[in-house]
Amino acid sequence: IPMAYELAQNYPNPFNPVTGIKFALPNSGHVTLSVYNVTGRKVAELVNKQMTAGYYNVNFNASMLPSGVYFYRLEAGEFTSVKKMTLLK
């Protein structure tokens, strides 16, 4: 079980069209993992559910989105983290 919350950089980055997003949860609770475009509009919701403590890897398929910079945000309990990724087609 992880000792702290963690949101890793997606891999590969830049990507086309699938990338993996890893995160760690030291406690069980409600988790949301969402993707936003540069204007702040949510373009995908990858996770929105109760999850147990542990390590996770979620694949994001952006085949329906245009090339560009996107942000992914993890919210779990009091923890929030945002990272940037680039889609190149």
Side-chain angles (χ1 to χ4, degrees):
I1 294 178
M3 298 298 290
Y5 288 100
E6 181 184 347
L7 177 61
Q9 184 63 51
N10 66 301
Y11 183 82
N13 188 35
F15 68 100
N16 177 29
V18 178
T19 189
I21 300 171
K22 293 182 179 181
F23 59 94
L25 306 173
N27 302 310
S28 298
H30 190 265
V31 176
T32 59
L33 178 61
S34 303
V35 179
Y36 299 86
N37 64 16
V38 291
T39 64
R41 187 173 72 88
K42 186 188 291 188
V43 296
E45 187 169 79
L46 306 178
V47 176
N48 185 0
K49 63 182 179 179
Q50 285 289 123
M51 298 182 81
T52 58
Y55 294 95
Y56 295 91
N57 184 26
V58 175
N59 285 327
F60 172 49
N61 186 333
S63 59
M64 303 304 268
L65 296 173
S67 295
V69 174
Y70 293 87
F71 298 90
Y72 56 103
R73 176 181 172 137
L74 177 70
E75 296 177 75
E78 298 294 313
F79 177 81
T80 301
S81 182
V82 178
K83 296 213 181 270
K84 182 169 75 169
M85 61 184 167
T86 303
L87 172 62
L88 290 179
K89 289 190 172 181

